[in-house]
Amino acid sequence: MTNSLTQNNAADTEKTSPTTNHPIATLTSFQKRILAVLAQEARYGLASGHRRQTLDILATDGPLTPTTIGDETGLDITHVSRVLSDLQGSGLATILNPDARKGRLYDATSKGTEIADVAAEVDG
């Protein structure tokens, strides 16, 4: 009987051990990256299709002008400018020539590129 109780207590301890049974501890590194991207998307509002699409284009084809982004996405230039401003504010995009009045070039930051790359892997 003592053996049975000792075994049950050991099993209960193992089940509740924070290092072995915490849900995050059982995830693969890829699954952890997926969670990180989802958290970033939620944090930076990338659930918005326009922000996500713009970031994807900048990460793969950048640097680009707002006009080119508008042509590739079908978005109005005013909306592209708003999205670029949001992405800049979130640290996901940067303007390469801020003093230019025309032909400003935008590109994804390293953080923006990483998020776009992992999101693309997740999307398959």
mmCIF file with all atom_site columns, all heavy atoms in Angstrom, residues 13 19 31-32 34 37 41 43 45-46 63 67 80 88 98 107 110 120 124:
data_model
loop_
_atom_site.group_PDB
_atom_site.id
_atom_site.type_symbol
_atom_site.label_atom_id
_atom_site.label_alt_id
_atom_site.label_comp_id
_atom_site.label_asym_id
_atom_site.label_entity_id
_atom_site.label_seq_id
_atom_site.pdbx_PDB_ins_code
_atom_site.Cartn_x
_atom_site.Cartn_y
_atom_site.Cartn_z
_atom_site.occupancy
_atom_site.B_iso_or_equiv
_atom_site.pdbx_formal_charge
_atom_site.auth_seq_id
_atom_site.auth_comp_id
_atom_site.auth_asym_id
_atom_site.auth_atom_id
_atom_site.pdbx_PDB_model_num
ATOM 1   N N   . THR A 1 13  ? 3.152  14.751 -8.482  1.00 0.00 ? 13  THR A N   1
ATOM 2   C CA  . THR A 1 13  ? 4.197  15.767 -8.492  1.00 0.00 ? 13  THR A CA  1
ATOM 3   C C   . THR A 1 13  ? 4.696  16.001 -9.907  1.00 0.00 ? 13  THR A C   1
ATOM 4   O O   . THR A 1 13  ? 4.875  17.130 -10.337 1.00 0.00 ? 13  THR A O   1
ATOM 5   C CB  . THR A 1 13  ? 5.380  15.334 -7.588  1.00 0.00 ? 13  THR A CB  1
ATOM 6   O OG1 . THR A 1 13  ? 4.878  15.122 -6.285  1.00 0.00 ? 13  THR A OG1 1
ATOM 7   C CG2 . THR A 1 13  ? 6.461  16.386 -7.579  1.00 0.00 ? 13  THR A CG2 1
ATOM 8   N N   . THR A 1 19  ? 7.986  22.816 -14.783 1.00 0.00 ? 19  THR A N   1
ATOM 9   C CA  . THR A 1 19  ? 8.984  22.726 -15.852 1.00 0.00 ? 19  THR A CA  1
ATOM 10  C C   . THR A 1 19  ? 8.671  21.628 -16.849 1.00 0.00 ? 19  THR A C   1
ATOM 11  O O   . THR A 1 19  ? 9.057  21.710 -17.999 1.00 0.00 ? 19  THR A O   1
ATOM 12  C CB  . THR A 1 19  ? 10.391 22.487 -15.278 1.00 0.00 ? 19  THR A CB  1
ATOM 13  O OG1 . THR A 1 19  ? 10.359 21.302 -14.485 1.00 0.00 ? 19  THR A OG1 1
ATOM 14  C CG2 . THR A 1 19  ? 10.843 23.663 -14.443 1.00 0.00 ? 19  THR A CG2 1
ATOM 15  N N   . GLN A 1 31  ? 6.810  26.073 -33.107 1.00 0.00 ? 31  GLN A N   1
ATOM 16  C CA  . GLN A 1 31  ? 5.537  26.457 -32.505 1.00 0.00 ? 31  GLN A CA  1
ATOM 17  C C   . GLN A 1 31  ? 5.691  27.699 -31.638 1.00 0.00 ? 31  GLN A C   1
ATOM 18  O O   . GLN A 1 31  ? 4.817  28.563 -31.613 1.00 0.00 ? 31  GLN A O   1
ATOM 19  C CB  . GLN A 1 31  ? 4.971  25.297 -31.683 1.00 0.00 ? 31  GLN A CB  1
ATOM 20  C CG  . GLN A 1 31  ? 4.491  24.141 -32.541 1.00 0.00 ? 31  GLN A CG  1
ATOM 21  C CD  . GLN A 1 31  ? 4.182  22.893 -31.723 1.00 0.00 ? 31  GLN A CD  1
ATOM 22  O OE1 . GLN A 1 31  ? 4.858  22.604 -30.746 1.00 0.00 ? 31  GLN A OE1 1
ATOM 23  N NE2 . GLN A 1 31  ? 3.161  22.158 -32.141 1.00 0.00 ? 31  GLN A NE2 1
ATOM 24  N N   . LYS A 1 32  ? 6.814  27.810 -30.952 1.00 0.00 ? 32  LYS A N   1
ATOM 25  C CA  . LYS A 1 32  ? 7.076  28.997 -30.146 1.00 0.00 ? 32  LYS A CA  1
ATOM 26  C C   . LYS A 1 32  ? 7.216  30.222 -31.043 1.00 0.00 ? 32  LYS A C   1
ATOM 27  O O   . LYS A 1 32  ? 6.752  31.313 -30.693 1.00 0.00 ? 32  LYS A O   1
ATOM 28  C CB  . LYS A 1 32  ? 8.324  28.806 -29.294 1.00 0.00 ? 32  LYS A CB  1
ATOM 29  C CG  . LYS A 1 32  ? 8.112  27.836 -28.150 1.00 0.00 ? 32  LYS A CG  1
ATOM 30  C CD  . LYS A 1 32  ? 9.387  27.624 -27.363 1.00 0.00 ? 32  LYS A CD  1
ATOM 31  C CE  . LYS A 1 32  ? 9.187  26.559 -26.295 1.00 0.00 ? 32  LYS A CE  1
ATOM 32  N NZ  . LYS A 1 32  ? 10.431 26.278 -25.574 1.00 0.00 ? 32  LYS A NZ  1
ATOM 33  N N   . ILE A 1 34  ? 5.738  30.616 -33.909 1.00 0.00 ? 34  ILE A N   1
ATOM 34  C CA  . ILE A 1 34  ? 4.381  30.923 -34.352 1.00 0.00 ? 34  ILE A CA  1
ATOM 35  C C   . ILE A 1 34  ? 3.670  31.754 -33.289 1.00 0.00 ? 34  ILE A C   1
ATOM 36  O O   . ILE A 1 34  ? 3.048  32.778 -33.596 1.00 0.00 ? 34  ILE A O   1
ATOM 37  C CB  . ILE A 1 34  ? 3.586  29.635 -34.655 1.00 0.00 ? 34  ILE A CB  1
ATOM 38  C CG1 . ILE A 1 34  ? 4.146  28.938 -35.899 1.00 0.00 ? 34  ILE A CG1 1
ATOM 39  C CG2 . ILE A 1 34  ? 2.100  29.933 -34.828 1.00 0.00 ? 34  ILE A CG2 1
ATOM 40  C CD1 . ILE A 1 34  ? 3.589  27.560 -36.127 1.00 0.00 ? 34  ILE A CD1 1
ATOM 41  N N   . VAL A 1 37  ? 4.936  35.278 -33.289 1.00 0.00 ? 37  VAL A N   1
ATOM 42  C CA  . VAL A 1 37  ? 4.414  36.067 -34.410 1.00 0.00 ? 37  VAL A CA  1
ATOM 43  C C   . VAL A 1 37  ? 2.969  36.464 -34.149 1.00 0.00 ? 37  VAL A C   1
ATOM 44  O O   . VAL A 1 37  ? 2.584  37.607 -34.379 1.00 0.00 ? 37  VAL A O   1
ATOM 45  C CB  . VAL A 1 37  ? 4.530  35.294 -35.746 1.00 0.00 ? 37  VAL A CB  1
ATOM 46  C CG1 . VAL A 1 37  ? 3.695  35.946 -36.826 1.00 0.00 ? 37  VAL A CG1 1
ATOM 47  C CG2 . VAL A 1 37  ? 5.970  35.244 -36.165 1.00 0.00 ? 37  VAL A CG2 1
ATOM 48  N N   . GLU A 1 41  ? 1.657  40.133 -34.072 1.00 0.00 ? 41  GLU A N   1
ATOM 49  C CA  . GLU A 1 41  ? 0.568  40.580 -34.938 1.00 0.00 ? 41  GLU A CA  1
ATOM 50  C C   . GLU A 1 41  ? -0.522 41.244 -34.118 1.00 0.00 ? 41  GLU A C   1
ATOM 51  O O   . GLU A 1 41  ? -1.056 42.279 -34.498 1.00 0.00 ? 41  GLU A O   1
ATOM 52  C CB  . GLU A 1 41  ? -0.001 39.414 -35.748 1.00 0.00 ? 41  GLU A CB  1
ATOM 53  C CG  . GLU A 1 41  ? 0.894  38.982 -36.874 1.00 0.00 ? 41  GLU A CG  1
ATOM 54  C CD  . GLU A 1 41  ? 0.280  37.895 -37.727 1.00 0.00 ? 41  GLU A CD  1
ATOM 55  O OE1 . GLU A 1 41  ? -0.746 37.305 -37.334 1.00 0.00 ? 41  GLU A OE1 1
ATOM 56  O OE2 . GLU A 1 41  ? 0.835  37.630 -38.795 1.00 0.00 ? 41  GLU A OE2 1
ATOM 57  N N   . ARG A 1 43  ? -0.153 42.596 -31.166 1.00 0.00 ? 43  ARG A N   1
ATOM 58  C CA  . ARG A 1 43  ? 0.398  43.810 -30.566 1.00 0.00 ? 43  ARG A CA  1
ATOM 59  C C   . ARG A 1 43  ? 0.467  44.958 -31.560 1.00 0.00 ? 43  ARG A C   1
ATOM 60  O O   . ARG A 1 43  ? 0.186  46.101 -31.237 1.00 0.00 ? 43  ARG A O   1
ATOM 61  C CB  . ARG A 1 43  ? 1.786  43.507 -30.022 1.00 0.00 ? 43  ARG A CB  1
ATOM 62  C CG  . ARG A 1 43  ? 2.438  44.678 -29.343 1.00 0.00 ? 43  ARG A CG  1
ATOM 63  C CD  . ARG A 1 43  ? 3.746  44.274 -28.722 1.00 0.00 ? 43  ARG A CD  1
ATOM 64  N NE  . ARG A 1 43  ? 4.399  45.424 -28.163 1.00 0.00 ? 43  ARG A NE  1
ATOM 65  C CZ  . ARG A 1 43  ? 5.645  45.451 -27.814 1.00 0.00 ? 43  ARG A CZ  1
ATOM 66  N NH1 . ARG A 1 43  ? 6.386  44.376 -27.926 1.00 0.00 ? 43  ARG A NH1 1
ATOM 67  N NH2 . ARG A 1 43  ? 6.188  46.527 -27.315 1.00 0.00 ? 43  ARG A NH2 1
ATOM 68  N N   . GLY A 1 45  ? -1.185 45.156 -34.503 1.00 0.00 ? 45  GLY A N   1
ATOM 69  C CA  . GLY A 1 45  ? -2.349 45.289 -35.362 1.00 0.00 ? 45  GLY A CA  1
ATOM 70  C C   . GLY A 1 45  ? -2.169 44.704 -36.739 1.00 0.00 ? 45  GLY A C   1
ATOM 71  O O   . GLY A 1 45  ? -2.807 45.137 -37.694 1.00 0.00 ? 45  GLY A O   1
ATOM 72  N N   . LEU A 1 46  ? -1.287 43.702 -36.864 1.00 0.00 ? 46  LEU A N   1
ATOM 73  C CA  . LEU A 1 46  ? -1.061 43.118 -38.184 1.00 0.00 ? 46  LEU A CA  1
ATOM 74  C C   . LEU A 1 46  ? -2.182 42.179 -38.598 1.00 0.00 ? 46  LEU A C   1
ATOM 75  O O   . LEU A 1 46  ? -2.158 41.646 -39.684 1.00 0.00 ? 46  LEU A O   1
ATOM 76  C CB  . LEU A 1 46  ? 0.280  42.388 -38.239 1.00 0.00 ? 46  LEU A CB  1
ATOM 77  C CG  . LEU A 1 46  ? 1.493  43.294 -38.190 1.00 0.00 ? 46  LEU A CG  1
ATOM 78  C CD1 . LEU A 1 46  ? 2.759  42.474 -38.267 1.00 0.00 ? 46  LEU A CD1 1
ATOM 79  C CD2 . LEU A 1 46  ? 1.465  44.313 -39.300 1.00 0.00 ? 46  LEU A CD2 1
ATOM 80  N N   . PRO A 1 63  ? 13.378 48.230 -50.781 1.00 0.00 ? 63  PRO A N   1
ATOM 81  C CA  . PRO A 1 63  ? 12.586 49.420 -50.472 1.00 0.00 ? 63  PRO A CA  1
ATOM 82  C C   . PRO A 1 63  ? 11.671 49.822 -51.639 1.00 0.00 ? 63  PRO A C   1
ATOM 83  O O   . PRO A 1 63  ? 12.011 49.599 -52.805 1.00 0.00 ? 63  PRO A O   1
ATOM 84  C CB  . PRO A 1 63  ? 13.633 50.492 -50.198 1.00 0.00 ? 63  PRO A CB  1
ATOM 85  C CG  . PRO A 1 63  ? 14.876 50.030 -50.866 1.00 0.00 ? 63  PRO A CG  1
ATOM 86  C CD  . PRO A 1 63  ? 14.798 48.536 -50.963 1.00 0.00 ? 63  PRO A CD  1
ATOM 87  N N   . THR A 1 67  ? 3.676  54.909 -53.812 1.00 0.00 ? 67  THR A N   1
ATOM 88  C CA  . THR A 1 67  ? 2.966  54.714 -55.081 1.00 0.00 ? 67  THR A CA  1
ATOM 89  C C   . THR A 1 67  ? 3.097  53.272 -55.559 1.00 0.00 ? 67  THR A C   1
ATOM 90  O O   . THR A 1 67  ? 2.114  52.647 -55.978 1.00 0.00 ? 67  THR A O   1
ATOM 91  C CB  . THR A 1 67  ? 3.499  55.687 -56.158 1.00 0.00 ? 67  THR A CB  1
ATOM 92  O OG1 . THR A 1 67  ? 3.337  57.021 -55.680 1.00 0.00 ? 67  THR A OG1 1
ATOM 93  C CG2 . THR A 1 67  ? 2.772  55.505 -57.477 1.00 0.00 ? 67  THR A CG2 1
ATOM 94  N N   . VAL A 1 80  ? -2.324 53.872 -48.045 1.00 0.00 ? 80  VAL A N   1
ATOM 95  C CA  . VAL A 1 80  ? -0.946 53.363 -47.981 1.00 0.00 ? 80  VAL A CA  1
ATOM 96  C C   . VAL A 1 80  ? -0.132 54.222 -47.024 1.00 0.00 ? 80  VAL A C   1
ATOM 97  O O   . VAL A 1 80  ? 0.609  53.696 -46.181 1.00 0.00 ? 80  VAL A O   1
ATOM 98  C CB  . VAL A 1 80  ? -0.283 53.344 -49.379 1.00 0.00 ? 80  VAL A CB  1
ATOM 99  C CG1 . VAL A 1 80  ? 1.214  53.053 -49.276 1.00 0.00 ? 80  VAL A CG1 1
ATOM 100 C CG2 . VAL A 1 80  ? -0.956 52.329 -50.281 1.00 0.00 ? 80  VAL A CG2 1
ATOM 101 N N   . GLN A 1 88  ? 5.641  52.219 -39.246 1.00 0.00 ? 88  GLN A N   1
ATOM 102 C CA  . GLN A 1 88  ? 6.799  52.947 -38.716 1.00 0.00 ? 88  GLN A CA  1
ATOM 103 C C   . GLN A 1 88  ? 6.663  53.125 -37.209 1.00 0.00 ? 88  GLN A C   1
ATOM 104 O O   . GLN A 1 88  ? 7.623  52.919 -36.469 1.00 0.00 ? 88  GLN A O   1
ATOM 105 C CB  . GLN A 1 88  ? 6.902  54.330 -39.356 1.00 0.00 ? 88  GLN A CB  1
ATOM 106 C CG  . GLN A 1 88  ? 7.597  54.361 -40.680 1.00 0.00 ? 88  GLN A CG  1
ATOM 107 C CD  . GLN A 1 88  ? 7.780  55.803 -41.109 1.00 0.00 ? 88  GLN A CD  1
ATOM 108 O OE1 . GLN A 1 88  ? 6.849  56.424 -41.602 1.00 0.00 ? 88  GLN A OE1 1
ATOM 109 N NE2 . GLN A 1 88  ? 8.970  56.332 -40.903 1.00 0.00 ? 88  GLN A NE2 1
ATOM 110 N N   . PRO A 1 98  ? 13.967 60.393 -45.349 1.00 0.00 ? 98  PRO A N   1
ATOM 111 C CA  . PRO A 1 98  ? 12.901 61.181 -44.737 1.00 0.00 ? 98  PRO A CA  1
ATOM 112 C C   . PRO A 1 98  ? 12.830 62.638 -45.208 1.00 0.00 ? 98  PRO A C   1
ATOM 113 O O   . PRO A 1 98  ? 11.776 63.264 -45.097 1.00 0.00 ? 98  PRO A O   1
ATOM 114 C CB  . PRO A 1 98  ? 13.208 61.110 -43.234 1.00 0.00 ? 98  PRO A CB  1
ATOM 115 C CG  . PRO A 1 98  ? 14.633 60.750 -43.143 1.00 0.00 ? 98  PRO A CG  1
ATOM 116 C CD  . PRO A 1 98  ? 14.956 59.961 -44.376 1.00 0.00 ? 98  PRO A CD  1
ATOM 117 N N   . ASP A 1 107 ? 11.119 50.715 -46.226 1.00 0.00 ? 107 ASP A N   1
ATOM 118 C CA  . ASP A 1 107 ? 11.580 49.334 -46.180 1.00 0.00 ? 107 ASP A CA  1
ATOM 119 C C   . ASP A 1 107 ? 11.183 48.740 -44.837 1.00 0.00 ? 107 ASP A C   1
ATOM 120 O O   . ASP A 1 107 ? 10.934 49.467 -43.869 1.00 0.00 ? 107 ASP A O   1
ATOM 121 C CB  . ASP A 1 107 ? 13.098 49.275 -46.354 1.00 0.00 ? 107 ASP A CB  1
ATOM 122 C CG  . ASP A 1 107 ? 13.579 47.932 -46.891 1.00 0.00 ? 107 ASP A CG  1
ATOM 123 O OD1 . ASP A 1 107 ? 12.752 47.019 -47.099 1.00 0.00 ? 107 ASP A OD1 1
ATOM 124 O OD2 . ASP A 1 107 ? 14.797 47.795 -47.097 1.00 0.00 ? 107 ASP A OD2 1
ATOM 125 N N   . SER A 1 110 ? 14.443 45.083 -39.541 1.00 0.00 ? 110 SER A N   1
ATOM 126 C CA  . SER A 1 110 ? 14.785 43.674 -39.302 1.00 0.00 ? 110 SER A CA  1
ATOM 127 C C   . SER A 1 110 ? 13.672 42.979 -38.514 1.00 0.00 ? 110 SER A C   1
ATOM 128 O O   . SER A 1 110 ? 13.346 41.828 -38.792 1.00 0.00 ? 110 SER A O   1
ATOM 129 C CB  . SER A 1 110 ? 16.131 43.548 -38.591 1.00 0.00 ? 110 SER A CB  1
ATOM 130 O OG  . SER A 1 110 ? 16.119 44.237 -37.369 1.00 0.00 ? 110 SER A OG  1
ATOM 131 N N   . ALA A 1 120 ? 4.770  34.197 -42.956 1.00 0.00 ? 120 ALA A N   1
ATOM 132 C CA  . ALA A 1 120 ? 4.670  33.500 -44.242 1.00 0.00 ? 120 ALA A CA  1
ATOM 133 C C   . ALA A 1 120 ? 4.841  31.993 -44.055 1.00 0.00 ? 120 ALA A C   1
ATOM 134 O O   . ALA A 1 120 ? 4.144  31.201 -44.705 1.00 0.00 ? 120 ALA A O   1
ATOM 135 C CB  . ALA A 1 120 ? 5.713  34.042 -45.223 1.00 0.00 ? 120 ALA A CB  1
ATOM 136 N N   . GLY A 1 124 ? 2.002  29.125 -44.726 1.00 0.00 ? 124 GLY A N   1
ATOM 137 C CA  . GLY A 1 124 ? 2.317  28.014 -45.628 1.00 0.00 ? 124 GLY A CA  1
ATOM 138 C C   . GLY A 1 124 ? 2.456  28.482 -47.008 1.00 0.00 ? 124 GLY A C   1
ATOM 139 O O   . GLY A 1 124 ? 2.300  28.088 -48.029 1.00 0.00 ? 124 GLY A O   1
#
